[in-house]
Amino acid sequence: MVAKINKGSSLQGALLYNQEKVKEQQAKVLFSNRIMLNRDGSLNMYLANQSFAPYLNANKNTEKPILHISINPHPDDIVSDEMYSDIAQTYMEKMGLGDQPYIVYKHEDLDRKHIHIVTVNIDGNGRKIGDSNNFFQSKKITRELEKVYNLHTAEKKKHPEELPHPKRVDYQSGDIKKQIANVSKALIKNYHFQSVNEFRALLSLYGVTVEEVKGEIKGKNYSGLVYSAIDEKGEKVGNPIKSSVIGKSVGYNALQSRLEYSVKYMKEHKVFESPKLMVGSAIGNYTDKQTLLKDLAKNNINVVFRENTDGRIYGATFIDHQSRCVFNGSKMGKEFSANVFNELFKDDNDTTNRHQLIINPTDNTTKGSDADKPIDSFTENAEYNNNKEDSTIDLSLLEQHGTDYAEEAFTRRMENEEKKRKRAKFKGL
């Protein structure tokens, strides 16, 4: 079990983020503490805001008074609603937050069911509740809860095989919408990529592709995303699914927001150093393509080589699952560009399957597929095929302490809409 603690400044954003899940029937309220409710016991957004107001009004100086906590059991654990409620209450009490107003939501939008808790770190006297030791205290509490409820340990470094991960879409098993939703939500929320093409390369590891749809309604231009499942040959199967059907967190605006953030993140962090050493070492020990890819897979790196109809490599995209970053090889340096690999592989004896190659980092198998031309903007090529074979990638990032970027993007949209409403109201005076 892992607890993820996010601090923010928008109570409205945190509540609406969860209520949107409830509205979409992807979450429900388990219980609340010190929150005014409707007579029938249901949650009322106005009353919820009023319940938090005295705490927030008592201290205007704390920059980020909102705590948004998610508690994630191992996916193999069977946890009842009653047990989730007990876990949430015990966790809050041991964290020194038991007397605070809070709401507990159970999320079911991923294969990995989990709970979210919205609360504030300002007590009834207006004092900020200390949080300097939150990470270690939280980790200690989750270890204790695992023992009490006989749950799996979710220690990432010691038990990587037990970590939750999205599964490749099985289009023959049905429920394509839910499968695509699980994959797209997890990846857009937790990986960094600077172009739609890189996002598509990541998605295709799980049998999904994405395209942008542009049009005009009542004289206004609009842009949206459409997700599709792909088969073993990289061809689309089944009906395409609009992002609006899945949820705003995987829509056009959310993707743009993620791209913008990723550009900044990858510029500020040294994300290329480790993969550059690993790829350079693999190239230095090169004997054949398959061995090189397997060596990289052992270090949790996937490579997507794209080839034209003549078998020439025109693109190399790297997915580093350790840093959760996706990037073209040229971003590491010219020595890792597509032309270098095209030259490196030209004498390979394996010419029977000249396709895009993907490595499964868990079983170190290599499989192939076709790809068409790369797309560098939101204008998509409807003919584009991008296939990856069975892949099971470690997504421990889903359970790390840090910022919830999906929630931040949602909050920003809510704030922008509120500003627009205020401006419109002012103009009408």
Side-chain angles (χ1 to χ4, degrees), residues 2-17:
V2 174
K4 175 181 176 182
I5 304 174
N6 294 292
K7 294 192 294 184
S9 57
S10 173
L11 172 65
Q12 189 76 356
L15 291 176
L16 285 176
Y17 176 77

Side-chain angles (χ1 to χ4, degrees), residues 297 334 397:
K334 293 181 179 180
L397 52 102

Side-chain angles (χ1 to χ4, degrees), residues 42-197:
S42 62
L43 184 69
N44 179 299
M45 284 291 288
Y46 173 77
L47 293 177
N49 276 281
Q50 290 296 104
S51 301
F52 287 108
Y55 297 81
L56 297 175
N57 292 335
N59 184 332
K60 300 283 189 179
N61 296 322
T62 299
E63 185 178 354
K64 294 184 176 181
I66 311 303
L67 296 181
H68 194 172
I69 305 166
S70 67
I71 300 179
N72 310 269
H74 186 277
D76 291 339
D77 286 327
I78 299 176
V79 184
S80 66
D81 289 356
E82 183 180 0
M83 190 183 298
Y84 270 125
S85 297
D86 290 343
I87 288 172
Q89 185 173 3
T90 302
Y91 179 88
M92 293 296 283
E93 289 175 354
K94 289 181 175 291
M95 286 292 291
L97 301 168
D99 292 329
Q100 296 296 101
Y102 62 84
I103 305 170
V104 181
Y105 297 86
K106 178 185 177 184
H107 284 230
E108 300 178 308
D109 53 330
L110 300 173
D111 285 339
R112 173 184 52 84
K113 293 181 175 63
H114 56 290
I115 56 175
H116 282 227
I117 307 172
V118 177
T119 187
V120 291
N121 61 2
I122 305 299
D123 66 19
N125 296 315
R127 292 191 295 264
K128 182 179 182 296
I129 298 173
D131 58 4
S132 60
N133 197 39
N134 265 4
F135 178 83
F136 299 101
Q137 178 68 5
S138 176
K139 188 174 181 179
K140 178 183 177 182
I141 295 169
T142 54
R143 294 295 86 83
E144 293 174 354
L145 289 170
E146 287 166 355
K147 294 179 180 178
V148 171
Y149 293 99
N150 195 28
L151 302 175
H152 288 80
T153 298
E155 186 66 48
K156 302 179 206 44
K157 293 184 179 179
K158 294 182 179 179
H159 304 283
E161 73 282 359
E162 292 186 346
L163 293 171
H165 52 73
K167 299 176 182 178
R168 179 182 169 86
V169 169
D170 179 3
Y171 59 89
Q172 295 179 329
S173 67
D175 202 4
I176 298 297
K177 174 188 169 183
K178 183 177 180 180
Q179 292 187 65
I180 291 179
N182 289 338
V183 169
S184 57
K185 287 179 179 180
L187 299 184
I188 199 172
K189 177 180 179 181
N190 296 289
Y191 273 76
H192 307 289
F193 34 81
Q194 301 182 63
S195 71
V196 179
N197 196 41

Side-chain angles (χ1 to χ4, degrees), residues 59 128 204 228 264 296 387 428:
N59 184 332
K128 182 179 182 296
S204 63
S228 301
K264 180 180 178 182
L296 291 176
N387 170 62

Side-chain angles (χ1 to χ4, degrees), residues 213-249:
V213 176
K214 291 187 175 181
E216 184 175 305
I217 297 180
K218 296 181 180 180
K220 294 184 178 181
N221 294 327
Y222 75 90
S223 297
L225 297 177
V226 174
Y227 293 85
S228 301
I230 53 177
D231 63 15
E232 288 72 16
K233 295 181 180 180
E235 298 176 352
K236 297 173 188 174
V237 292
N239 296 322
I241 300 174
K242 294 180 181 179
S243 61
S244 58
V245 175
I246 300 174
K248 294 180 180 180
S249 62

